[in-house]
Amino acid sequence: MYSEQERKAGVRSERGYTSATVLSTAANYIMNTTESFTHTYRTYIRLRENGELKLKFWHSNTVDSTWDLGQESAGSEPGGEWSIEAAYVADGGLEPDGSLAAGTQVPVTFAGRACKQVAAGEVFWSDEAVLKLPEGHVLAFTWTLKTRASGKSIPFNVEGMLVSAYDAPGQLASQDTADGFSVSDKLLVLPSYIGYKKEVTKELVFLGDSITQGVRTEKDKYDYWAAGIAEGLGPDYGLWNIGSGWGRAYDVATEGAWLHKALRGNEVLIVLGVNDLDIGKRSAEELLQDLAFIISKIKEANPETAVLLSTVPPFNFEGEREAAWRSVNTQILASPPAGVSRVFDMAAVLSMPSPVDHRIRPEYMSNSDDPHPNGTAGKAVAESFLDWYFKV
């Protein structure tokens, strides 16, 4: 199922760390340029805990999920050859304005080296970096990346920004100031896993699409439902959000990088299906088959992993897509695929009353034309999930 490299350096190979943030850094796009480049990316991230942190980063040089119809990037597509010229973590202060607290940058190294050559499709861990981050301050992660040639190179996330980020041409990773940096738009360029050393009660992985990622909620507010669940559970529960905009179940079913990530959890919540039924034009039967396959692979990798399956959230489907949505959710509730421990009915939280329950409540829409759940919906889903989760 996985290569020898994935077994030795995959995200499951290091224990004793848990995800330091609820921000998803799943990749759904890939840089494709007409010439080589050197560029610096700086991102500000609220962590689940502050203080003295032992941080470690893992990266998968592969696209997780398909964007649009796959013209530019497809699920499990390997990234190209590129290099990390320098990487740092630092105190990003109270406001993410592009600058850093002077003198706080700590180098991130790879097998003792500041630079790292990245091969196509490679997975790898960083060394541990120790940073003291005051309460209320955000982490700033900065790295300079360099491509060897034109063409496809670095996977990243192209959805609307959920956190503040800045980028600049050239090698500016060691710079404390914001000079030369511009505000990033639809350009989240981060390691795949941002971990910190901590023993936790459980490792939960949230595997989903843009609704899990939190797309269309406010930047830097962390008011999507995965963030609300993390806050409600507290830091003794690990939580890794790998929601990916425009992702679909059949991307996971390719048995590539995205599924490999999900296997880190000893509990996995799956919230997939909107894009399968929508842009993917899958039938109810095809979607259910893909979900069953994903669940079987999770259980095959570790029979003790608890699989939590959600109903497909409402997305204002009409016609054949509405019928398929109803069929899938009826099946999930009545007879979920083998291996499912429990079913969470997210659709019931977000939907209008019957008979128009295929539509999301207007107050939960990110705007009048977009059925992506907003922050109010995120709070409602988080509260409902937590109530359901602790009902044994």
Side-chain angles (χ1 to χ4, degrees):
M1 186 175 177
Y2 301 107
S3 68
E4 185 65 21
Q5 187 211 15
E6 285 175 319
R7 284 192 288 271
K8 289 183 177 179
V11 72
R12 293 189 293 161
S13 63
E14 286 278 359
R15 293 298 179 180
Y17 293 84
T18 193
S19 178
T21 178
V22 295
L23 174 70
S24 172
T25 61
N28 59 10
Y29 214 71
I30 191 168
M31 296 183 190
N32 191 357
T33 58
T34 57
E35 57 186 21
S36 61
F37 64 87
T38 302
H39 210 84
T40 301
Y41 306 90
R42 176 169 290 167
T43 310
Y44 294 82
I45 308 161
R46 183 194 299 174
L47 301 187
R48 297 196 66 198
E49 289 191 279
N50 286 24
E52 184 168 293
L53 303 166
K54 295 179 179 178
L55 299 160
K56 205 162 189 178
F57 304 88
W58 176 83
H59 195 62
S60 170
N61 186 24
T62 305
V63 177
D64 292 308
S65 65
T66 300
W67 179 259
D68 197 1
L69 291 172
Q71 307 97 316
E72 295 295 331
S73 59
S76 299
E77 178 181 0
E81 294 184 346
W82 46 278
S83 63
I84 301 169
E85 297 296 290
Y88 295 89
V89 288
D91 179 355
L94 295 169
E95 295 295 332
D97 61 4
S99 67
L100 310 173
T104 64
Q105 282 195 301
V106 176
V108 176
T109 59
F110 306 87
R113 297 180 179 179
C115 299
K116 162 71 179 170
Q117 296 293 326
V118 181
E122 183 179 0
V123 296
F124 57 92
W125 281 94
S126 75
D127 302 323
E128 189 176 78
V130 180
L131 175 72
K132 189 171 183 179
L133 191 64
E135 287 299 322
H137 289 216
V138 293
L139 175 79
F141 181 89
T142 310
W143 58 353
T144 296
L145 307 181
K146 181 178 181 179
T147 62
R148 293 184 176 184
S150 61
K152 291 188 174 183
S153 56
I154 304 164
F156 69 102
N157 195 282
V158 76
E159 281 285 7
M161 301 295 284
L162 290 173
V163 292
S164 293
Y166 299 79
D167 63 278
Q171 190 161 335
L172 303 183
S174 62
Q175 180 179 296
D176 283 346
T177 69
D179 296 345
F181 283 89
S182 300
V183 175
S184 301
D185 182 35
K186 297 182 179 180
L187 187 66
L188 186 69
V189 187
L190 281 171
S192 302
Y193 181 80
I194 300 168
Y196 74 120
K197 197 164 193 176
K198 182 180 179 66
E199 295 294 335
V200 292
T201 302
K202 285 185 180 179
E203 287 278 7
L204 283 72
V205 173
F206 287 177
L207 172 62
D209 53 33
S210 57
I211 293 172
T212 300
Q213 184 179 348
V215 167
R216 307 290 186 272
T217 58
E218 288 189 62
K219 183 190 288 188
D220 297 321
K221 294 296 185 182
Y222 296 84
D223 57 0
Y224 39 93
W225 58 262
I229 291 170
E231 183 176 355
L233 291 174
D236 287 337
Y237 283 76
L239 193 152
W240 189 20
N241 181 0
I242 56 172
S244 187
W246 237 332
R248 48 214 89 168
Y250 64 76
D251 287 328
V252 188
T254 60
E255 297 187 70
W258 207 13
L259 177 59
H260 175 80
K261 291 179 178 181
L263 300 183
R264 183 173 176 91
N266 49 34
E267 202 161 60
V268 180
L269 173 67
I270 301 173
V271 190
L272 288 166
V274 165
N275 296 306
D276 296 81
L277 299 175
D278 191 11
I279 194 168
K281 298 182 180 178
R282 307 288 270 185
S283 67
E285 293 74 19
E286 288 172 324
L287 172 54
L288 288 166
Q289 287 171 6
D290 286 335
L291 290 171
F293 180 81
I294 293 164
I295 293 160
S296 73
K297 290 299 176 181
I298 292 172
K299 299 297 283 188
E300 180 183 306
N302 182 4
E304 299 304 313
T305 299
V307 178
L308 315 177
L309 180 62
S310 172
T311 50
V312 181
F315 213 68
N316 295 355
F317 291 140
E318 302 288 349
E320 291 182 356
R321 290 174 181 171
E322 178 195 340
W325 175 85
R326 290 185 181 278
S327 178
V328 169
N329 281 351
T330 297
Q331 180 70 20
I332 287 174
L333 290 168
S335 182
V340 171
S341 299
R342 300 173 69 190
V343 171
F344 173 60
D345 193 0
M346 187 180 295
V349 181
L350 297 174
S351 289
M352 293 278 288
S354 181
V356 291
D357 46 323
H358 62 291
R359 302 191 65 83
I360 185 172
R361 293 176 181 270
E363 65 269 26
Y364 288 164
M365 291 175 62
S366 57
N367 63 55
S368 59
D369 299 317
D370 190 340
H372 279 92
N374 58 21
T376 302
K379 182 179 180 182
V381 170
E383 289 177 350
S384 177
F385 178 90
L386 291 166
D387 181 60
W388 167 86
Y389 186 75
F390 288 111
K391 281 184 179 176
V392 180

